[in-house]
Amino acid sequence: MPENLAISHSWPELRSVLTSIVGEQNCLFDPQEIAPYCEDWRQVHKGSTPAVVRPACTDEVASLVRMCAQRRIPIVPQGGNTSLVDGATPSAEGNEIVLSLSRMNKVRDLDLVNLTLTVEAGITLKAAQEAALAEDCMLPLSMGSEGSAQIGGALSTNAGGNNTVRYGNARDLVLGLEVVLPDAEIWNGLRRLRKDNTGYCLRQLFVGAEGTLGIITAAVLKLVPRPHDVAVAFCAVPSEQAALDLFMLCRGRHYNSIQAFEYMCGPGIDLVLKHIPGTQFPLAKPAGHYALVELADYSPHAGLREKLEDVLGNAMDAGLLQDAVLAGSSAERASLWRLREEQSEAQKREAASVKNDISVPVSKVAEFLVRAGAACECQFPGVRVIPYGHMGDGNIHFNLLPAPGVGNSTFLKQTEAIMDAVNEVVRQLDGSFSAEHGIGRVKPYMMEEWRGGAELATMRRIKAALDPLGIMNPGKVLPGEPTL
Amino acid sequence: MPENLAISHSWPELRSVLTSIVGEQNCLFDPQEIAPYCEDWRQVHKGSTPAVVRPACTDEVASLVRMCAQRRIPIVPQGGNTSLVDGATPSAEGNEIVLSLSRMNKVRDLDLVNLTLTVEAGITLKAAQEAALAEDCMLPLSMGSEGSAQIGGALSTNAGGNNTVRYGNARDLVLGLEVVLPDAEIWNGLRRLRKDNTGYCLRQLFVGAEGTLGIITAAVLKLVPRPHDVAVAFCAVPSEQAALDLFMLCRGRHYNSIQAFEYMCGPGIDLVLKHIPGTQFPLAKPAGHYALVELADYSPHAGLREKLEDVLGNAMDAGLLQDAVLAGSSAERASLWRLREEQSEAQKREAASVKNDISVPVSKVAEFLVRAGAACECQFPGVRVIPYGHMGDGNIHFNLLPAPGVGNSTFLKQTEAIMDAVNEVVRQLDGSFSAEHGIGRVKPYMMEEWRGGAELATMRRIKAALDPLGIMNPGKVLPGEPTL
């Protein structure tokens, strides 16, 4: 029995209320069943909760919130639990209830003329994508975790991913939301309108709020026609600046079809080839820097392969490109993409890493890579700088691994110092310390320094106005929230 | 001397404080000089103010807000004063100061790699567009009022316009904002980042808030490459549904290049030809319904004219099209566009009108036109139904003119009844009563019915949290705000 809850509540009574709302089989009390809901994806944080509740519908979510508000019990909304900043797990104190949206996973509507998809929050990103593809449309939100990440979480964290360079972040794809507010009222804002100027834009407040202002239960998302011609190239480039120049060239020539432009470095590719079975190096010889370019068009006759070959030929003439390979089939495309998508997993298998999910203006991204790399190598001799990421968005996952021979725990003691060194460069280049992963429980301490003053004060005012009891995902996003 | 202000303030003292902040020549006290700032664009509302102040920089705006907050003097931020819902003029009571952003009209930065433009709030939309064009880029926000509308107002009202079908609303183009908050703090959120997940998305709260939460003083806007191939066709179509089907055909074939799809009706074109000198009917014979299609591409070799001819040929074969003309030059393009852009002016010259700026899901827009037209003709015999607008966005300006022989004042007495009849159909089709014009002073009374309950309650909480004194543009957006 959870001690903290026992202080203020009658546990048997609470247990019976929870089961009365969602049914016995949808309340988990067994520690073993509960455990996966309490640990974050990176396995760094272990929380504790007396109960995981799995409502089936919006009304059940509202009943749960009402019950919790009456008793001042904090709620942690949880989707696929793939947060990289520990945004979806309960605290270690054991006084927060986990509300899993997994059972709310229906497609409510797909409108081919309006190009919108209405889904419940607990549907996985992949299932939502497949619902769109079945109607020859595409939901243009894609990321490594899409098999388990759920729409509610993707919206609550304003997920980015691989197609952002063309379609924007999750925020840019949302037309409407349904949200259970902290006072248990249901806001039905599931509007499917391309234009609607009727007061404050609440949906954009809940998107990216990481569940601290309410629980997203359903959403209306924009779709685009499904691409029928896709061309992918894996390129060796001589420098960070050449990678950026190559992006500029591809974007300038094919603004309408460039769908991804990803950066990788030599050591990052080496780690993938070392640790990920079945991966192959597709070029004749290794290079210091790589870029993955993807073009896509709705017409099957867009001739993108020839267009990509052509622009890469120009890049070679201009000295921006050392070598490149174009995928000749969808299997080859997948194989080239694996070299990018397995970067994180390969690093995980190699050693512990210090991760920096940063962004700078696109115009500064090459300079950032050079300067942040030099700063780290100077301040932490031997450290392995292994950045990769969405260069076309100015978003780099600037990761570092320990010097050869240095153990993980020794290395991780330098985490804050390394992050400081990286962030110093980010700051000088007008960048952000969290590009797409959000704040969660890991980064609230950085908010005061980066967003302090008028901005953080305004966020706190909004939090206090919408969630005066502080029951919504406490300890996330905002630093030093009053504890209950 | 303004009576209401005199009650609580020493007018000579206030006058001297205002001039000390912005300088004598930037404070207008003379009633004749002040008059244009007090009357709305539609010339329906005449307000009153003791002073118009014209700050030169953000610090001056902050000083003015601080001074007003201390004295509880309400502030009306004003840009180009082109609001169609009277969102930018002071009340008739004469106790509100008008803060004009017109002098803050500088381009602060243009980043061609990042594709961003940083401008001050008082720059006109047209001047901002021209700054982008000078660098072979385009600011994809365009509307009839762009010569006088200012960026600050366009953002505060989340302006839509003609290119929304491709590029979204003003909201979709904003990466960063600088805002003077109601407590006179300056929030510098002028970030130029494509990805930045660091807490609540404040910029999207100020966009569309119509100046009721703070004063936007500068913004970072997304640019796109300038189109170098543009094709425009003016089409006669047999029905509302045929117009929508034509849109579907054009969008399906040319999703990447469709930039505008506008609807007009026969009587609307007739009024333009009657009232606007120099306009010409471009087809062989009149029709009941018309569509204007524009395709644009960044490449000068996109062959859009041939592509548009081709898709229109298919449309004709499918019975969706009766006749069409393609512009052969930029002068011809402008001439075709005039038939659309002069709709509002032509109606104004004909008679008084009841205007409904509504939206429905794109899939419902033809049904809306038919049903709303029938409802009005049935309930108001002889009324002239003259809709036009952004069909590709589901946004119709559903305007009505008096029956022949009925005077303006008699007709306008039916305004609310007519709006009710239209809105009844809008509601049945899940639409909105204000698509792009916003709420201003004209429509707050409709908010309770359409956005009441959890949504309006949340808006009120936000307003109270950010502007507890209620000094920011009172009487706009929210109904029944406490007066000072």
Side-chain angles (χ1 to χ4, degrees):
Chain A
M1 196 187 73
E3 274 192 49
N4 282 12
L5 272 178
I7 295 168
S8 51
H9 310 287
S10 154
W11 176 236
E13 186 261 345
L14 182 61
R15 189 172 166 139
S16 112
V17 173
L18 291 174
T19 53
S20 77
I21 295 172
V22 297
E24 185 94 41
Q25 70 281 23
N26 298 308
C27 282
L28 310 181
F29 303 113
D30 177 73
Q32 267 193 303
E33 284 186 306
I34 280 177
Y37 295 85
C38 290
E39 187 173 39
D40 74 313
W41 187 84
R42 298 175 313 146
Q43 302 178 307
V44 170
H45 171 81
K46 272 202 204 323
S48 167
T49 186
V52 175
V53 288
R54 312 193 317 135
C57 63
T58 309
D59 283 339
E60 286 186 8
V61 175
S63 296
L64 289 166
V65 171
R66 182 168 298 108
M67 191 280 295
C68 287
Q70 283 162 354
R71 291 165 170 77
R72 309 288 192 270
I73 300 172
I75 303 167
V76 180
Q78 191 174 97
N81 196 16
T82 59
S83 172
L84 293 171
V85 290
D86 196 14
T89 52
S91 76
E93 283 76 38
N95 64 335
E96 299 167 5
I97 283 178
V98 174
L99 192 156
S100 164
L101 279 301
S102 300
R103 290 178 67 221
M104 294 183 61
N105 59 1
K106 284 191 282 298
V107 173
R108 290 196 191 165
D109 181 67
L110 196 158
D111 183 335
L112 285 173
V113 179
N114 201 41
L115 281 178
T116 47
L117 176 70
T118 307
V119 290
E120 294 181 344
I123 193 171
T124 64
L125 186 43
K126 187 152 194 66
Q129 289 168 349
E130 282 168 359
L133 288 174
E135 299 289 341
D136 211 32
C137 291
M138 181 170 84
L139 173 64
L141 185 64
S142 167
M143 48 196 177
S145 60
E146 62 198 27
S148 39
Q150 297 172 9
I151 290 291
L155 296 180
S156 291
T157 57
N158 185 30
N162 296 330
N163 296 338
T164 315
V165 69
R166 183 167 188 175
Y167 297 107
N169 299 286
R171 180 179 307 291
D172 299 297
L173 304 173
V174 181
L175 289 183
L177 285 185
E178 180 186 80
V179 177
V180 175
L181 300 168
D183 63 2
E185 290 293 309
I186 297 169
W187 169 47
N188 181 352
L190 284 178
R191 297 195 275 272
R192 298 180 293 141
L193 303 170
R194 301 276 165 174
K195 288 185 177 171
D196 172 41
N197 282 344
T198 52
Y200 307 152
C201 186
L202 299 187
R203 70 179 188 280
Q204 295 290 2
L205 193 55
F206 294 107
V207 172
E210 305 189 22
T212 64
L213 298 177
I215 301 173
I216 294 174
T217 50
V220 179
L221 304 169
K222 290 189 219 171
L223 301 178
V224 297
R226 177 183 190 160
H228 289 280
D229 188 5
V230 180
V232 172
F234 184 84
C235 309
V237 294
S239 67
E240 296 89 342
Q241 185 62 47
L244 179 58
D245 290 343
L246 178 62
F247 169 64
M248 289 285 289
L249 188 65
C250 293
R251 186 185 69 179
R253 208 74 74 72
H254 300 293
Y255 186 85
N256 275 338
S257 43
I258 189 158
Q259 180 155 289
F261 192 95
E262 300 287 312
Y263 170 83
M264 292 144 285
C265 66
I269 289 295
D270 293 345
L271 287 184
V272 169
L273 298 172
K274 174 179 172 186
H275 289 294
I276 309 297
T279 53
Q280 287 173 339
F281 187 68
L283 301 174
K285 56 179 184 177
H289 309 271
Y290 302 95
L292 188 148
V293 195
E294 180 169 284
L295 305 183
D297 197 283
Y298 312 111
S299 163
H301 314 298
L304 291 183
R305 190 190 158 86
E306 294 69 31
K307 287 177 179 170
L308 187 51
E309 272 174 359
D310 188 53
V311 72
L312 293 179
N314 295 146
M316 187 128 358
D317 296 343
L320 303 178
L321 188 65
Q322 294 166 315
D323 194 7
V325 57
L326 273 85
S329 66
S330 64
E332 281 180 32
R333 284 208 304 271
S335 164
L336 294 181
W337 263 108
R338 273 194 89 194
L339 297 171
R340 163 62 184 86
E341 284 175 342
E342 298 285 4
Q343 292 279 326
S344 176
E345 181 63 26
Q347 292 186 7
K348 196 174 178 180
R349 294 187 191 179
E350 174 75 3
S353 64
V354 173
K355 295 171 188 284
N356 299 274
D357 167 43
I358 69 88
S359 62
V360 291
V362 179
S363 46
K364 306 283 187 191
V365 68
E367 182 180 354
F368 165 77
L369 284 164
V370 171
R371 286 176 55 181
C376 289
E377 283 164 0
C378 170
Q379 290 177 51
F380 310 96
V383 71
R384 287 185 280 166
V385 179
I386 311 189
Y388 64 92
H390 317 292
M391 181 174 253
D393 308 314
N395 173 203
I396 297 293
H397 301 302
F398 197 83
N399 292 1
L400 299 105
L401 269 60
V406 174
N408 286 344
S409 61
T410 308
F411 175 66
L412 288 178
K413 284 183 190 130
Q414 294 179 297
T415 298
E416 282 208 25
I418 292 173
M419 288 173 75
D420 285 350
V422 173
N423 282 330
E424 178 60 24
V425 182
V426 173
R427 196 184 313 270
Q428 286 166 13
L429 298 176
D430 297 328
S432 171
F433 67 102
S434 187
E436 58 176 9
H437 295 167
I439 303 300
R441 190 199 309 280
V442 171
K443 295 185 178 175
Y445 81 95
M446 299 167 77
M447 287 290 281
E448 188 68 59
E449 191 182 342
W450 287 77
R451 300 289 174 253
E455 182 161 354
L456 187 54
T458 303
M459 290 185 199
R460 286 189 202 277
R461 284 175 186 223
I462 291 168
K463 171 72 175 176
L466 269 60
D467 181 23
L469 303 175
I471 59 168
M472 282 294 165
N473 213 8
K476 317 290 165 50
V477 182
L478 300 177
E481 274 184 81
T483 48
L484 293 166
Chain B
M1 195 184 76
E3 273 191 51
N4 282 11
L5 272 177
I7 295 166
S8 51
H9 310 286
S10 154
W11 176 235
E13 186 261 346
L14 183 59
R15 189 171 165 141
S16 110
V17 173
L18 291 175
T19 52
S20 77
I21 294 173
V22 297
E24 186 94 41
Q25 70 281 25
N26 298 308
C27 281
L28 311 181
F29 303 112
D30 177 73
Q32 266 193 304
E33 283 186 307
I34 279 176
Y37 295 84
C38 290
E39 187 173 40
D40 74 314
W41 186 84
R42 298 175 313 146
Q43 302 179 307
V44 170
H45 172 80
K46 272 202 204 324
S48 166
T49 185
V52 175
V53 288
R54 310 192 318 133
C57 63
T58 308
D59 283 338
E60 287 186 8
V61 175
S63 296
L64 289 166
V65 171
R66 182 168 299 109
M67 190 280 295
C68 287
Q70 284 162 354
R71 291 165 170 78
R72 309 289 191 269
I73 299 172
I75 302 167
V76 180
Q78 191 175 96
N81 196 16
T82 59
S83 171
L84 293 171
V85 289
D86 196 14
T89 52
S91 75
E93 282 76 37
N95 63 336
E96 300 167 5
I97 283 178
V98 174
L99 192 156
S100 165
L101 280 300
S102 300
R103 290 178 66 221
M104 294 183 61
N105 59 1
K106 285 191 283 299
V107 172
R108 289 196 191 165
D109 181 67
L110 196 158
D111 183 335
L112 286 173
V113 180
N114 201 41
L115 281 178
T116 47
L117 176 70
T118 306
V119 290
E120 294 181 345
I123 192 171
T124 63
L125 187 43
K126 186 152 195 68
Q129 289 167 349
E130 282 168 359
L133 288 175
E135 299 290 340
D136 211 32
C137 291
M138 181 171 83
L139 173 63
L141 185 63
S142 167
M143 48 196 177
S145 59
E146 62 198 28
S148 38
Q150 297 172 10
I151 289 291
L155 296 181
S156 291
T157 57
N158 184 31
N162 296 331
N163 297 337
T164 315
V165 69
R166 183 167 188 175
Y167 296 107
N169 300 285
R171 180 181 305 293
D172 299 297
L173 304 173
V174 181
L175 290 183
L177 286 184
E178 181 187 79
V179 177
V180 175
L181 301 169
D183 62 1
E185 290 294 310
I186 298 169
W187 169 47
N188 181 350
L190 284 179
R191 297 196 275 273
R192 297 179 295 140
L193 304 171
R194 300 277 165 175
K195 287 186 178 172
D196 172 41
N197 281 345
T198 53
Y200 307 152
C201 186
L202 299 186
R203 70 179 187 280
Q204 296 290 3
L205 192 55
F206 294 107
V207 172
E210 305 189 24
T212 64
L213 298 177
I215 302 173
I216 294 173
T217 50
V220 179
L221 304 168
K222 290 189 218 172
L223 301 178
V224 298
R226 177 183 191 162
H228 288 279
D229 188 5
V230 180
V232 172
F234 183 84
C235 309
V237 295
S239 67
E240 297 89 343
Q241 185 62 47
L244 179 58
D245 289 344
L246 178 62
F247 169 64
M248 289 285 289
L249 188 66
C250 293
R251 186 184 69 178
R253 208 72 75 72
H254 300 293
Y255 186 84
N256 276 338
S257 43
I258 189 159
Q259 179 156 290
F261 192 96
E262 301 286 312
Y263 170 84
M264 292 144 285
C265 65
I269 290 294
D270 293 345
L271 288 184
V272 170
L273 299 171
K274 174 178 173 187
H275 289 294
I276 309 296
T279 53
Q280 286 173 340
F281 187 67
L283 301 174
K285 56 178 184 177
H289 309 271
Y290 301 95
L292 187 147
V293 195
E294 180 170 283
L295 304 183
D297 197 284
Y298 312 110
S299 163
H301 314 297
L304 290 183
R305 190 189 158 86
E306 293 69 31
K307 287 177 179 170
L308 187 52
E309 272 173 359
D310 188 54
V311 72
L312 292 178
N314 295 145
M316 185 120 12
D317 295 343
L320 303 178
L321 188 65
Q322 294 164 316
D323 194 6
V325 58
L326 273 86
S329 66
S330 64
E332 282 181 32
R333 284 206 305 270
S335 163
L336 294 181
W337 262 108
R338 273 194 89 192
L339 297 171
R340 162 62 184 85
E341 284 175 343
E342 298 286 3
Q343 292 279 326
S344 176
E345 181 62 26
Q347 292 186 8
K348 197 175 177 180
R349 294 187 190 179
E350 174 76 2
S353 64
V354 174
K355 294 170 188 285
N356 299 275
D357 167 43
I358 69 89
S359 63
V360 292
V362 179
S363 45
K364 306 283 187 191
V365 68
E367 182 180 354
F368 165 77
L369 284 165
V370 171
R371 285 176 56 182
C376 289
E377 283 163 1
C378 170
Q379 290 177 51
F380 309 97
V383 72
R384 287 185 281 167
V385 179
I386 311 187
Y388 64 92
H390 317 292
M391 181 173 252
D393 308 314
N395 173 203
I396 297 294
H397 300 302
F398 197 83
N399 292 1
L400 298 104
L401 268 61
V406 174
N408 286 343
S409 61
T410 308
F411 175 65
L412 288 177
K413 284 183 190 133
Q414 294 180 297
T415 297
E416 283 207 25
I418 292 173
M419 288 173 75
D420 285 350
V422 173
N423 281 330
E424 178 59 25
V425 182
V426 174
R427 196 185 314 271
Q428 286 167 13
L429 298 176
D430 297 327
S432 172
F433 68 101
S434 187
E436 58 177 9
H437 296 167
I439 303 298
R441 190 199 309 281
V442 172
K443 295 186 178 175
Y445 80 95
M446 298 167 77
M447 287 290 281
E448 189 68 58
E449 190 182 343
W450 287 78
R451 299 288 175 253
E455 184 162 355
L456 186 54
T458 303
M459 290 185 200
R460 286 189 200 277
R461 284 175 186 225
I462 291 168
K463 171 72 175 176
L466 269 60
D467 181 22
L469 303 174
I471 60 168
M472 282 295 165
N473 212 8
K476 316 290 166 47
V477 182
L478 300 177
E481 274 184 81
T483 48
L484 292 166

